[in-house]
Structure formats: C-alpha cells, structure tokens
Amino acid sequence: MTGIQNGEAAKAVARRPARKRSASATRTALRAAAAFRFGKYGYEGTSVRDIAGDVGVDAALVYRYFGSKEALFNDVSGTGKIFEPLLEEPVEAIPDWFCALLMGQPRGDFPHPVLSVLRSSGRDEAVARLRADFTDVFSHRLAARLDGPDADLRAELLAAWMLGTSLMRTEIRPPALVSVPDATLERYLRAGIEVLLGPARENDDGAAGDGDGQRAVGDD
C-alpha cells in the first residue's frame, strides 16, 4: 500500500480531525505499517515504537491490540491478513475502511507488499500464496456479502483497484496521484468503491449503463 518517509505522512493522516479512525481501521493501519517495516528492515531491525510512530499512535496500543512484537509479526506474515478486518466491517462502512487504509499507510521508501512477494525467493510459491489469500478474502468471503450479480468479479475489481492505487502511489509515483490533497483523493476513492459495492444496472440489451438509461461511455 502506500509507503512512509520518516512516518510523517501517516502521522498527518492520524491527526486529521474530519473522521475519527475506528479501532478496526487503526489495527489495519498498524498491520500495514508492520508489514512494510518487517519487509524492509526484518524482524530484528523493526521496533514496536517505529510501527506505532508510523501510524501516529502510542506503542502501548500495539501491545494492547496484538500482545507482542512477535505476535504482530506472525499476524502480518500472510498478506491477506491485512485485509481480513475488512470482513468485520458493515458493507456500508467499507469505503471508510479502504480510505483509511490507502491514506493512513506508510509512504516513502518502504516496499510494496505485492512487490515484496514478486521479488521473493520461491516466487511461484509466493504468488500462489498471495492468490490464495486474496481469493479467500475477496472472491469468496467479501463477495458473499455483496448483493446483486457478479459479486465475485466486483470484489476482485475492488481488490485490484485498491492494490493498483497503492502500488502507483508507492512505486510509480505519478505527479497528480502523489500530490493530490487527501480530501480530493478520498472523494474519488469513495465514488469508485461505492460503484463496485453495488450491482451495476443493465439496459434492456444487457449492456451496463450509467443508471439513467444511457449506455456506458465508449459504446456506440
């Protein structure tokens, strides 16, 4: 997801007064920060204080939520675990959850977890594990909670969009995406997430429309 430079971006998000972060979102941000720290510096080179600082909370909260540094390491050793708290959120709260994840994660020189998997030894095995994690969380468990047709496809598209956005912000860093104000980014993220959470409408001929009887852009 997105990386952090000296923890400042995550701390700034943590201080945002507009929306109080839930306990679930805080756990998610801590898992994300831990995954980046452990991935870059290893277990010995990562401290609980560093992880907490990246998210803008006290180190005691890490121990409260996870018990120990070792338990947190074990918790995030599977990539899919970062997204498991999503399944505890009501469907209507999923946009809040994803926005907290994308804008509250570390930013800067930390490795993106997907790239860490692709660069790892035993690449085929690592990719298979990543696929299994996301299939379980999104294709099966999240899709089962969505109404309407193509729930598995919409859940997978949501995962793809979220991972793609975080990868772009972390590794590619195009100018508009890395400089956009939080409020503007959040507005677009929410619009897209809400579209995928709800079933697409269809015209009489079966083509997806925009909800006003018009065909999708690009259809002649």
Side-chain angles (χ1 to χ4, degrees), residues 35-48:
F36 282 103
R37 287 265 177 193
F38 289 135
K40 184 172 179 65
Y41 299 113
Y43 183 82
E44 296 299 331
T46 297
S47 72
V48 169

Side-chain angles (χ1 to χ4, degrees), residues 44-79:
E44 296 299 331
T46 297
S47 72
V48 169
R49 180 174 295 179
D50 288 336
I51 293 169
D54 289 344
V55 180
V57 299
D58 191 271
L61 199 59
V62 178
Y63 293 106
R64 175 182 171 188
Y65 285 154
F66 300 100
S68 68
K69 175 181 161 181
E70 181 179 3
L72 177 56
F73 177 80
N74 292 333
D75 187 272
V76 303
S77 61
T79 308

Side-chain angles (χ1 to χ4, degrees), residues 146-183:
L146 301 182
D147 295 328
D150 303 317
D152 55 346
L153 174 61
R154 286 154 43 214
E156 290 177 9
L157 284 171
L158 182 59
W161 190 35
M162 295 301 99
L163 286 174
T165 300
S166 65
L167 183 62
M168 288 288 287
R169 295 190 82 199
T170 304
E171 305 295 333
I172 311 298
R173 300 185 60 78
L177 195 56
V178 299
S179 63
V180 61
D182 281 351

Side-chain angles (χ1 to χ4, degrees), residues 98-163:
F98 267 120
C99 287
L101 182 67
L102 284 173
M103 295 188 296
Q105 291 176 341
R107 173 178 296 181
D109 60 354
F110 287 73
H112 191 283
V114 172
L115 290 185
S116 297
V117 167
L118 296 179
R119 292 169 177 164
S120 67
S121 59
R123 180 179 179 277
D124 290 344
E125 180 181 349
V127 170
R129 180 180 179 183
L130 185 66
R131 183 185 302 112
D133 285 343
F134 282 95
T135 297
D136 176 53
V137 172
F138 288 93
S139 311
H140 295 160
R141 297 163 70 188
L142 177 59
R145 302 177 63 204
L146 301 182
D147 295 328
D150 303 317
D152 55 346
L153 174 61
R154 286 154 43 214
E156 290 177 9
L157 284 171
L158 182 59
W161 190 35
M162 295 301 99
L163 286 174

